[in-house]
Amino acid sequence: HSVLLDIAYNPWPSELASYWELHQGGPVLSGVDMLVWQACAQVELFTGKIAPIEAMRAALPKGLSTA
């Protein structure tokens, strides 16, 4: 199966993601998922330490709501 990388944040799911899940049956990663993994890579590149993925994922909804 192919994976859809949909950069949409809001509304979620996007029309594309809904269509994909209904007609393709493959997994969908949202813009939020991509944002987390990009941030993890940046933390690791800048600090040389393993990024606290779960803490970052937990903090994300609050960060997005203030934007």
Side-chain angles (χ1 to χ4, degrees):
H1 285 233
S2 298
V3 176
L4 173 66
L5 302 174
D6 187 348
I7 63 171
Y9 293 104
N10 190 12
W12 190 257
S14 68
E15 288 184 43
L16 175 61
S18 296
Y19 178 89
W20 182 267
E21 288 180 326
L22 182 64
H23 297 286
Q24 300 297 323
V28 177
L29 295 176
S30 72
V32 173
D33 294 317
M34 286 187 270
L35 182 64
V36 168
W37 290 108
Q38 288 171 346
C40 289
Q42 290 173 341
V43 166
E44 291 177 3
L45 285 170
F46 292 146
T47 67
K49 298 178 182 179
I50 296 174
I53 297 170
E54 293 308 315
M56 294 169 72
R57 193 180 297 276
L60 191 57
K62 182 179 178 185
L64 288 176
S65 69
T66 61

